[in-house]
């Protein structure tokens, strides 16, 4: 009976994790593996048979459910590594009601019934008629033979890798293997890595004069905005401008606006957006980078600014230890972290302190920072209110939403980001009122997407709002604005870039050269190569976004099953022309990972 339930669950599960190829093989394999595992438990458990069976059954049902929910948010399967960070999975926790549907709930709904049934069965059949250890042994043997035959067959037809990467049980094994495997680089490999890193370091030498040093000597105020997606920029909903303050700022004559700019985060959401922007390194894909590499040495933007006389402070109105910021910020180079405990709440929305409170009270600390010494300062502010699920109190819902769009995540988001936009407008005014505006470079960008692509509930409103399909390239597109009061800039940059390019771009605007670290990004104002984005979350590692194309590396790990589209016409294109760039992406990510794994800058920065 349980095997049959597993068959049904396997069908629901493969559907939930959007298996596109080999679905039938995957389902059959899960079924035979379930038969083998359950008969093995019954055969070996003696009088603990019932307990062991129900415990195992519940465990795998919950794991399937967790994977299905996780997948609908992150478009990838859960890893044991991430389970260790469960406390940080706030995004999923808060938006869970938008991710749940009956199909997923069914995966765990039957556990009490199964428990009841197993109890009843034991009483009804008593000793008589029940299967004996010998029977279970036979079922185990038969199903194991089936499992092996299916595996051999899949190997024969060349589909083994695709199936193993997606099938429920084998995914757990593959995941576990990746975590425990012991990797030692050989001397020859070390040499190629060193050569690779040397090439990356060489391409950093950029004599680009576009906007070079225009912010030199000024304060640097960077605002990383929670869930600020680019699709709301210059967009209105039934004639109501969603982000009027940001739009105005982006188009001003003293601003540069980057409209082809992308997120590049790993498992650490907001904190990875910070990490990648500050360091121009790829995020870790094992754990949130701030946790995994809190003790590493870095030479990111805060260090560069400090080496040039600046004082660097970070501001965020949430718990100090969240995302391990309190520890990670030390090696990131921040000298002080103004966190939740430094603010007073006048009201609370969503996560906690409102953006308006945050900005208003940050002004007090900014003045302190300004008066600290003669030198300019670098302030890094991370906002909070426009966080998923974007539920704003009635009085802050300023956008009139049509009846049919009400209560969608997107409609909520429009209200929340509209509020944050107003808060940013207020902050800029207050910089003027407090005499800090003219001497500051103000930089604003989004930490990551707001609405996950592929949510059925959001389709209607997004179609209404946008003029093209809401795919991953729209989802991951975030705005970047560099505003330097009284400079004659007035430019929109369409060069493709990502958070990886933030540090070299800002460093050149501020006029400081990074001579100590290695950065993987490029100064977007002085392109030296055709830039592209190599995402690893939402799209799998190996995927690429270029000026004209989006190459989605297949989720089953097989290149031939990948997909590519023209970003302008949305038409499918031949995947073969992406082979080189796909390999380059993996290579760059691995080189960056080498830096993290080996605490590379420890030796490099003296
Ligand atoms: C919490 C805030 C939100 O400190 O940065 O983080 P997120 O859930 O978006 O990663
Ligand atoms: Mn965030």
């Amino acid at each position: 009976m349980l095997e049959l339930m597993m068959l049904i669950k396997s069908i629901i599960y493969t559907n939930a994790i959007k298996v596109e190829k080999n679905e039938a093989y995957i389902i059959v394999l899960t079924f035979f593996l379930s038969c083998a595992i359950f008969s093995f438990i019954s055969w070996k458990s003696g009088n603990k048979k019932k307990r062991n069976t129900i415990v195992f059954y519940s465990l795998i049902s919950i794991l399937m459910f967790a994977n299905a929910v996780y997948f609908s948010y992150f478009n990838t399967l859960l890893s044991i590594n991430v389970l260790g960070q469960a406390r940080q999975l706030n995004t999923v926790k808060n938006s869970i009601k938008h991710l749940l549907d009956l199909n997923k709930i069914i995966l765990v709904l039957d556990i009490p019934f199964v428990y009841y049934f197993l109890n009843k069965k034991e009483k009804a059949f008593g000793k008589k008629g029940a299967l004996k250890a010998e029977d279970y042994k036979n079922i185990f043997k038969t199903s194991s033979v089936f499992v092996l035959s299916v595996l051999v067959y899949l190997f024969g037809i060349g589909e083994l890798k695709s199936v193993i990467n997606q099938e429920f049980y084998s995914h757990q094994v593959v995941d576990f293997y990746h975590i425990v495997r012991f990797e030692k680089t050989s001397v020859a490999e070390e040499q190629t890595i060193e050569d690779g890193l040397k090439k990356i370091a060489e391409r950093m030498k950029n004599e680009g004069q576009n906007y070079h040093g225009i912010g030199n000597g000024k304060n640097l105020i960077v605002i990383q905005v929670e869930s600020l997606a680019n699709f709301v920029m210059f967009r209105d909903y039934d004639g109501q401008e969603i982000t009027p303050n940001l739009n105005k700022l982006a188009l001003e004559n003293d601003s540069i606006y980057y409209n082809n700019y992308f997120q590049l985060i790993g498992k650490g959401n907001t904190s990875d957006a910070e990490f990648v922007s500050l360091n121009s390194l790829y995020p870790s894909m094992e754990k949130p980078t701030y946790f995994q590499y809190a003790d590493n040495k870095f030479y990111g933007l805060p260090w560069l600014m400090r080496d040039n006389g600046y004082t660097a402070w970070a501001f965020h109105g949430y718990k100090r230890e969240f995302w391990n910021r309190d520890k990670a910020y030390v090696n990131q180079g921040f000298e002080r972290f103004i966190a939740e405990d430094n603010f007073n709440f006048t009201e609370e929305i969503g996560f906690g302190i409102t953006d308006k409170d945050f900005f208003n009270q940050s002004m007090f600390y900014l003045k302190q920072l300004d008066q600290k010494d003669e030198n300019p300062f670098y302030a890094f502010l991370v906002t909070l209110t426009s966080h998923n699920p974007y539920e704003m109190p009635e009085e802050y819902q300023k956008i009139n939403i049509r009846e049919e769009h009400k209560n969608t995540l997107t409609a909520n988001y429009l209200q929340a980001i509209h509020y944050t936009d107003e808060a940013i407008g207020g902050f800029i005014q207050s910089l003027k009122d407090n005499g800090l505006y003219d001497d500051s470079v103000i930089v604003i960008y989004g930490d990551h997407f707001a609405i996950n692509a592929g949510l059925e509930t959001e389709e209607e409103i997004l179609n209404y709002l946008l003029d093209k399909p809401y795919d991953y390239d729209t989802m991951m597109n975030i705005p970047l604005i560099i505003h330097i009061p009284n400079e004659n800039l007035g430019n929109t940059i369409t060069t493709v870039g990502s958070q990886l390019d933030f540090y070299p771009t800002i460093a050149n605007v501020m006029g400081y050269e990074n001579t100590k670290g290695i950065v993987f990004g490029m100064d977007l104002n002085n392109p030296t190569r055709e830039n592209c984005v190599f995402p690893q979350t939402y799209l799998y590692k190996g995927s690429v976004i270029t000026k004209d194309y989006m190459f989605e590396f297949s989720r089953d790990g097989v290149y031939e099953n990948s997909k590519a589209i023209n970003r302008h016409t949305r038409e499918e294109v031949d995947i073969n022309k992406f082979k080189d760039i796909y390999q380059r992406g993996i290579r760059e990510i691995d080189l960056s990972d080498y830096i993290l794994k080996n605490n590379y800058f420890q030796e490099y920065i003296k």
Side-chain angles (χ1 to χ4, degrees):
M1 195 267 302
L2 292 185
E3 292 79 0
L4 206 69
M5 289 305 296
M6 284 310 298
L7 183 64
I8 297 169
K9 287 191 184 189
S10 164
I11 295 170
I12 298 172
Y13 178 73
T14 43
N15 206 18
I17 64 162
K18 297 192 183 140
V19 170
E20 281 172 4
K21 217 174 161 234
N22 296 318
E23 195 169 355
Y25 294 129
I26 291 170
I27 292 168
V28 167
L29 200 57
T30 309
F31 174 67
F32 284 129
L33 277 165
S34 301
C35 293
I37 294 169
F38 282 111
S39 52
F40 182 80
I41 291 174
S42 299
W43 165 32
K44 291 285 180 193
S45 299
N47 55 5
K48 297 214 176 77
K49 193 174 81 186
K50 191 187 77 184
R51 192 202 64 185
N52 289 357
T53 305
I54 189 72
V55 166
F56 189 76
Y57 184 74
S58 311
L59 205 80
I60 52 179
S61 299
I62 291 167
L63 198 57
M64 271 192 172
F65 171 77
N67 261 297
V69 174
Y70 189 82
F71 188 92
S72 56
Y73 196 86
F74 291 104
N75 294 8
T76 187
L77 294 172
L78 254 178
S79 159
I80 309 169
N81 263 330
V82 178
L83 285 178
Q85 305 296 325
R87 214 171 64 85
Q88 307 289 331
L89 287 175
N90 254 294
T91 320
V92 176
K93 185 191 82 193
N94 291 336
S95 57
I96 208 149
K97 63 173 185 252
H98 292 276
L99 303 175
L100 285 184
D101 52 44
L102 191 64
N103 270 345
K104 290 181 200 110
I105 297 172
I106 285 176
L107 290 170
V108 284
L109 202 65
D110 66 324
I111 297 175
F113 298 103
V114 167
Y115 182 73
Y116 172 78
F117 181 80
L118 280 181
N119 262 329
K120 216 173 144 194
K121 187 176 129 192
E122 199 178 54
K123 279 180 200 140
F125 289 106
K127 270 122 218 130
K128 250 185 161 184
L131 292 179
K132 298 188 186 66
E134 197 58 29
D135 302 324
Y136 287 119
K137 189 175 161 186
N138 286 332
I139 300 174
F140 171 71
K141 279 185 187 164
T142 322
S143 18
S144 302
V145 169
F146 271 113
V147 168
L148 280 177
S149 316
V150 174
L151 292 178
V152 170
Y153 174 71
L154 288 170
F155 180 73
I157 61 167
E159 298 292 346
L160 187 63
K161 188 177 172 193
S162 166
V163 171
I164 294 274
N165 277 336
Q166 300 179 92
E167 194 280 324
F168 175 72
Y169 294 107
S170 53
H171 162 72
Q172 317 306 328
V173 177
V174 172
D175 180 44
F176 189 69
Y177 167 76
H178 281 303
I179 291 169
V180 297
R181 90 189 141 152
F182 181 71
E183 264 183 311
K184 180 121 186 69
T185 18
S186 67
V187 179
E189 276 166 342
E190 290 277 352
Q191 196 47 51
T192 34
I193 289 168
E194 284 298 337
D195 290 347
L197 288 173
K198 224 195 222 150
K199 283 204 185 103
I200 304 275
E202 268 159 25
R203 77 181 185 197
M204 282 168 63
K205 289 189 197 98
N206 182 357
E207 260 85 67
Q209 285 306 303
N210 282 340
Y211 306 132
H212 170 75
I214 50 172
N216 200 265
K218 290 176 184 263
N219 302 317
L220 175 63
I221 302 176
V222 178
I223 310 172
Q224 179 178 294
V225 184
E226 178 59 44
S227 309
L228 175 60
N230 195 49
F231 78 82
V232 288
M233 294 288 295
F234 306 106
R235 178 102 30 213
D236 65 74
Y237 179 89
D238 284 347
Q240 305 158 93
E241 205 176 354
I242 301 163
T243 53
N245 292 285
L246 288 172
N247 296 351
K248 186 170 158 283
L249 190 76
L251 287 190
E252 263 163 10
N253 195 37
D254 36 9
S255 291
I256 318 170
Y257 165 54
Y258 303 76
N259 66 0
N260 223 348
Y261 191 72
F262 292 86
Q263 70 172 58
L264 199 77
I265 58 178
K267 304 282 183 204
N269 284 349
T270 310
S271 62
D272 278 349
E274 296 176 16
F275 174 78
V276 174
S277 305
L278 293 172
N279 296 286
S280 192
L281 294 171
Y282 286 88
S284 168
M285 286 307 288
E286 289 157 23
K287 291 176 185 173
T289 325
Y290 274 2
F291 279 93
Q292 198 174 353
Y293 298 112
D295 298 327
N296 275 21
K297 290 271 183 288
F298 292 100
Y299 191 73
L301 188 58
W303 289 114
L304 179 71
M305 298 309 281
R306 280 172 73 175
D307 272 355
N308 287 286
Y310 283 64
T311 305
W313 286 10
F315 299 67
H316 179 53
Y318 197 56
K319 304 200 173 0
R320 210 166 264 288
E321 65 284 359
F322 199 80
W323 287 132
N324 209 27
R325 284 184 177 101
D326 55 343
K327 300 205 177 69
Y329 275 174
V330 177
N331 280 332
Q332 289 302 317
F334 291 112
E335 295 161 270
R336 192 171 167 194
F337 176 24
I338 311 292
E340 187 182 69
D341 45 281
N342 297 106
F343 293 96
N344 299 316
F345 284 39
T346 61
E347 60 178 343
E348 216 176 303
I349 301 178
F351 249 65
I353 193 167
T354 63
D355 286 348
K356 285 186 185 169
D357 264 347
F358 171 65
F359 282 129
N360 284 342
Q361 294 173 44
S362 289
M363 193 52 71
F364 168 80
Y365 295 103
L366 284 177
K367 280 200 247 164
Q368 239 184 52
L369 181 53
D370 186 43
Q371 282 149 18
K372 200 175 161 282
D373 55 31
E374 291 296 291
N375 293 336
F377 64 79
Y378 163 35
F380 178 48
L381 295 92
V382 179
T383 75
L384 190 61
T385 305
S386 48
H387 193 283
N388 191 305
Y390 319 116
E391 279 161 6
M392 298 297 287
E394 195 84 23
E395 67 267 32
Y396 289 111
Q397 301 185 14
K398 301 267 178 71
I399 311 261
N400 284 321
I401 300 288
R402 290 165 172 250
E403 207 48 49
E404 65 265 34
H405 296 153
K406 277 192 178 144
N407 299 319
T408 59
L409 198 59
T410 310
N412 289 352
Y413 173 63
L414 299 185
Q415 307 287 12
I417 205 68
H418 183 72
Y419 165 85
T420 296
D421 172 82
E422 201 171 282
I424 294 171
F427 178 62
I428 292 183
Q429 184 54 46
S430 145
L431 286 174
K432 290 179 183 165
D433 298 343
N434 287 282
L436 288 173
Y437 177 79
D438 285 323
D439 287 329
S440 301
V441 172
I442 301 159
V443 184
I444 301 176
Y445 66 92
D447 66 346
H448 50 69
F449 74 98
I451 311 291
N452 200 326
L455 288 180
E456 269 171 38
T457 48
E458 307 310 308
E459 253 168 45
E460 196 185 328
I461 181 167
L462 285 169
N463 281 340
Y464 180 74
L465 206 59
L466 307 178
D467 38 24
K468 59 177 177 190
Y470 188 73
D471 204 341
Y472 295 107
D473 55 338
T474 310
M475 167 184 155
M476 299 200 284
N477 184 201
I478 48 170
L480 167 68
I481 302 166
I482 301 178
H483 179 70
I484 309 178
N486 312 318
E487 281 291 327
N488 190 11
L489 310 167
N491 202 357
T492 295
I493 305 269
T494 57
T495 308
V496 169
S498 75
Q499 286 162 336
L500 194 73
D501 304 306
F502 185 83
Y503 178 22
T505 303
I506 299 299
N508 196 41
V509 162
M510 299 308 288
Y512 303 120
E513 203 186 337
N514 175 357
T515 51
K516 295 187 184 170
I518 294 183
V519 303
F520 283 74
M522 180 185 86
D523 173 5
L524 293 176
N525 297 322
N526 295 282
T528 47
R529 54 183 184 270
E530 184 163 349
N531 211 24
C532 53
V533 186
F534 299 121
Q536 296 179 81
T537 25
Y538 306 99
L539 293 180
Y540 273 31
K541 179 178 176 183
S543 303
V544 188
I545 297 174
T546 71
K547 184 161 78 48
D548 299 318
Y549 302 103
M550 173 162 65
F551 170 73
E552 279 183 51
F553 183 58
S554 176
R555 292 177 198 285
D556 66 3
V558 179
Y559 187 94
E560 285 66 35
N561 298 339
S562 304
K563 199 180 106 186
I565 58 159
N566 179 311
R567 287 182 57 209
H568 315 289
T569 64
R570 315 308 295 181
E571 273 161 15
E572 280 210 27
V573 294
D574 180 19
I575 55 167
N576 286 313
K577 66 169 163 192
F578 298 97
K579 278 235 160 91
D580 283 351
I581 203 163
Y582 147 85
Q583 270 160 0
R584 200 184 103 204
I586 291 181
R587 174 91 182 128
E588 295 222 354
I589 291 168
D590 290 347
L591 284 173
S592 171
D593 212 43
Y594 180 87
I595 289 182
L596 294 180
K597 287 218 161 73
N598 294 282
N599 194 2
Y600 195 73
F601 297 143
Q602 190 182 33
E603 293 304 310
Y604 208 78
I605 301 163
K606 291 277 182 276

